Amino acid sequence: MASIAAPAPSKAARVRQTVRDARDAIEHWLEAERDQLMLWLPVMLGAGAAAWFVLPDTRDWAVSMLCAAAVAAGALATARGGRAGVALAIAAMTFLLGLTLAWTRAERVAAPVLARPVVALLSGRVVRVEPLPARELTRVTLDRLRWQKAPDPAPVRIRVNLPADATPPGLTAGATLRLRARLMPPPSPAVPGAYDFARVAWFDRIGATGRGFAPIAIVSPGAADSGIRGRLTAHIQSRLPGSAGGIAAALATGDTGAIAEDDAEAMRRAGLAHLLSVSGLHITAAVGIVMWLAMRLLALSPRLALTGHVPLLAAAMGALAAIGYTWITGAQVPTIRSCVAALMVLAALALGREAVTLRLVAVGALVVLLAWPEAIVSPSFQLSFAAVTAIVALHEHPRVRAGLLPRDEDRVRKLARHLASLLLTGVVVEVALMPIAAYHFHKAGLYGALANIVAIPLTTFIVMPAEAIALLLDTIALGWPAWVVTGIATDALLWIARTVVALPGAVTALPQMPSAAFALMIAGGLWVALWRTRWRRLGIVPLAVGAGWALLTPAPDLIVSGDGRHLAWRDAAGGLAILRDRTGDYMRDTLAQGGGLDGEPALLSDTPGARCNRDLCWMERAVGDRRWRIMATRSGYLIATDRLIPRCAAADVVISDRRLPRRCRARWLTLDRPALARTGGIALTFATARVTTVNMAGDAHPWRRAPIERVMVRPRRTAIEDTRRAAP
């Protein structure tokens, strides 16, 4: 009897079967990764908060919230009891929560911001005093302000720098200070990719910054002294002068004001700057020292030792040490974050659980983001959590854990294993931090891992214990031997930084990378670090794409500051030259970093391809098959119209810090004061006709007061045109 062949499945049936197979594969994968799903809660919370900072206006924020809610509802409706739908719904709602928290936090901290620079006579209560002896300044934060003539709007909190020689003696927190000051609004980034102090000041409720000058007087005194933090800082600096004392003070109180700028820059370039800001390393060292001493002292009591409560009591003392250290160092957000993590580690130890895990890191990140969602865009948050996540993920890997397990072996092999662990950890941390450092600071260190292998143990096991012993012995006036050890160790730390910086190729300068490339690298890194099955390898794809995108992004050819007074021009040889011969150090560094230059920029007046006189600079450069012509004003003197108008018409880009005549219009971009007030700083790349601005179109973030409008350049209007269609 002949068999009858089954009919071939229809195309629709094959599609349904493919969908079912894909769903089953995802369910199987999530079941294998079920212990890791919780780790993505802070990631999605941070993604939502970051989306609020990246997206420009309320319409985009509202649409994102509605889309997240729709995804959550759709995922729950189609979950059918599976893990994938529930996980997607939770992720979408967590994203929605993060965006909402960032939005509401920005509205909740709202405070008046100065509209324009003013010189004012005012008085206010001193909230914080920060001595900066290395810069011969004292930084003071004031609130409860009373103005002789209040500006409109009048800030409720300001921060001013006082010259050291004009700072009244006995200035402490709580005092009422009367002074004259030149105040200005908190500055936005001078150029794309620069530090955004306006955003930081908004969340600190600082409405103006500036410089005070005489007469400066204390109307009513504050606290009897500068408090335990101030006294401790002054005591340490009296024992160790110079940058060594500044580093010792930074480790004990978080005050870095006494470190010379050259030494601080050497620490940054060597990848050791994290040692100067109180973070998890310092909290861990303080807790470890206290617990070690407590366990040995408590174990001297046989009765107490037999109860088995010595580790628990030592952990409690370690918790008190963490809280006290956080309070002494000023209780800044990074320090609070580290303290919370330390307390959770101690709680896990007390409960008999594994202390350092990715779950612990995730809980710490959740606590910080729920309280301060703006931390997601902070370099300190990104650097610290990236480092901790990389370290924990590395040591949780089965092969690494098996290779580094202690075993019965001779001392040489044991030492080699410890050194290999330090080197591997340092390399992984350096790789994890490199994209973040390149994105925020435009620099990447090549020898940071090697420097940290020596510097971290030196700081943890010699500098901090010696300093703690010295402070303890100073109570009976016997601390000088320990101070000698501390001084030698801090000098060695500075020597390491200076030596590393002096090596060839120690620091690589990079131009501003696209934010999307940075996001791809972060997403790929998290995918690799947080999953455990072979699917984690897929994270290498966005990581590689983001890194390639960042490396292939050309450096800008022209960078213009937001006030139009400064610019950096890239010549045919690839070097940078600046417009004004007397540009300040801060602006020189900002322009150099924006252009990916590690070093001092040249002067346009000395650069081939540029012609400058007292009032104008004219630059020409061939890019591809086109010659670009740039004109910039460089003085405050008026230029005859019959000379200016023809030059404007011949230039592709005209730049000025003043309002130009209506007939002075460039062939492509006219960047005078009104245009730059809308755009902020600008970076131009001629090969791709790419224009990057500080301000986004319709930017509704509260610290942006001058939204940019992108429209076509017309003969009688100054604006930024659509470069994709109108670029020459």
Side-chain angles (χ1 to χ4, degrees), residues 87 156 171 215 286 303 310 341 343-344 379 390 401 479 501 542 568 606 647 698:
V156 297
L171 181 63
R303 179 179 298 179
V310 168
L343 293 178
M344 288 190 293
R401 176 176 288 187
V501 169
D606 300 332
R647 287 174 171 79

Side-chain angles (χ1 to χ4, degrees), residues 328-595:
I328 289 175
T329 54
Q332 301 298 311
V333 172
T335 316
I336 295 174
R337 178 175 65 240
S338 302
C339 180
V340 170
L343 293 178
M344 288 190 293
V345 169
L346 293 173
L349 289 173
L351 295 173
R353 303 289 297 274
E354 188 175 357
V356 183
T357 65
L358 284 176
R359 283 177 173 261
L360 175 68
V361 179
V363 172
L366 273 176
V367 170
V368 173
L369 291 175
L370 288 172
W372 302 282
E374 69 274 14
I376 190 63
V377 294
S378 166
S380 66
F381 176 90
Q382 295 173 10
L383 289 168
S384 60
F385 273 99
V388 174
T389 301
I391 292 171
V392 177
L394 172 69
H395 289 271
E396 282 189 354
H397 193 282
R399 292 183 181 177
V400 176
R401 176 176 288 187
L404 299 179
L405 276 177
R407 59 198 69 188
D408 188 12
E409 57 189 358
D410 58 63
R411 293 183 178 180
V412 175
R413 290 180 179 272
K414 184 178 294 186
L415 178 61
R417 194 177 302 278
H418 285 309
L419 291 177
S421 174
L422 283 174
L423 180 60
L424 179 62
T425 302
V427 170
V428 169
V429 170
E430 196 70 24
V431 171
L433 300 186
M434 193 174 293
I436 303 173
Y439 180 75
H440 290 286
F441 310 119
H442 315 297
K443 292 180 181 178
L446 301 181
Y447 307 122
L450 296 175
N452 277 286
I453 288 175
V454 181
I456 290 178
L458 176 65
T459 303
T460 306
F461 300 115
I462 299 179
V463 178
M464 293 187 69
E467 185 176 356
I469 293 171
L471 291 172
L472 183 63
L473 293 178
D474 271 352
T475 58
I476 55 175
L478 294 176
W480 66 268
W483 284 119
V484 171
V485 175
T486 306
I488 293 173
T490 49
D491 287 338
L493 193 62
L494 286 170
W495 179 84
I496 292 171
R498 294 165 185 156
T499 303
V500 168
V501 169
L503 294 174
V507 177
T508 301
L510 301 170
Q512 173 66 16
M513 72 172 69
S515 297
F518 178 62
L520 282 173
M521 286 189 281
I522 294 298
L526 287 171
W527 190 274
V528 171
L530 300 188
W531 294 127
R532 285 291 171 266
T533 60
R534 62 181 181 178
W535 292 99
R536 69 190 305 178
R537 300 170 188 168
L538 290 176
I540 298 174
V541 175
L543 192 59
V545 171
W549 187 356
L551 292 174
L552 294 176
T553 299
D557 298 297
L558 181 65
I559 305 172
V560 183
S561 65
D563 57 6
R565 288 182 51 82
H566 305 281
L567 67 82
W569 159 264
R570 190 173 303 280
D571 59 26
L576 278 184
I578 56 177
L579 177 65
R580 297 177 185 266
D581 297 352
R582 300 181 63 182
T583 303
D585 292 340
Y586 173 77
M587 185 55 64
R588 282 175 179 265
D589 293 342
T590 299
L591 292 172
Q593 290 178 8

Side-chain angles (χ1 to χ4, degrees), residues 113-114 159 183-191 194-202 206-210 563 586-587 694-695 703-705:
V113 176
L114 194 67
R159 196 181 78 177
L183 301 174
M184 60 187 64
S188 296
V191 299
Y195 180 62
D196 191 354
F197 180 72
R199 184 187 66 215
V200 176
W202 178 265
I206 294 175
T209 63
D563 57 6
Y586 173 77
M587 185 55 64
V694 168
N695 296 333
W703 55 90
R704 296 278 185 260
R705 297 178 302 279

Side-chain angles (χ1 to χ4, degrees), residues 563-693:
D563 57 6
R565 288 182 51 82
H566 305 281
L567 67 82
W569 159 264
R570 190 173 303 280
D571 59 26
L576 278 184
I578 56 177
L579 177 65
R580 297 177 185 266
D581 297 352
R582 300 181 63 182
T583 303
D585 292 340
Y586 173 77
M587 185 55 64
R588 282 175 179 265
D589 293 342
T590 299
L591 292 172
Q593 290 178 8
L597 174 69
D598 182 28
E600 283 289 321
L603 300 178
L604 267 177
S605 53
D606 300 332
T607 302
R611 302 190 305 274
C612 296
N613 58 27
R614 184 181 63 175
D615 301 317
L616 292 173
C617 271
W618 181 271
M619 298 146 273
E620 294 189 14
R621 181 185 162 195
V623 179
D625 58 354
R626 174 168 177 76
R627 178 167 291 276
W628 292 83
R629 298 175 176 84
I630 313 297
M631 186 185 75
T633 63
R634 67 197 302 250
S635 78
Y637 294 100
L638 294 177
I639 303 171
T641 305
D642 58 346
R643 293 175 50 206
L644 184 63
I645 302 302
R647 287 174 171 79
C648 293
D652 297 298
V653 182
V654 174
I655 303 155
S656 179
D657 61 342
R658 68 185 89 162
R659 181 186 291 273
L660 293 173
R662 294 171 62 85
R663 290 186 296 159
C664 179
R665 288 295 172 264
R667 293 190 295 177
W668 185 34
L669 295 178
T670 303
L671 304 175
D672 61 355
R673 178 181 291 180
L676 290 169
R678 291 190 294 270
T679 65
I682 286 183
L684 307 177
T685 305
F686 294 145
T688 58
R690 181 169 178 256
V691 179
T692 305
T693 62

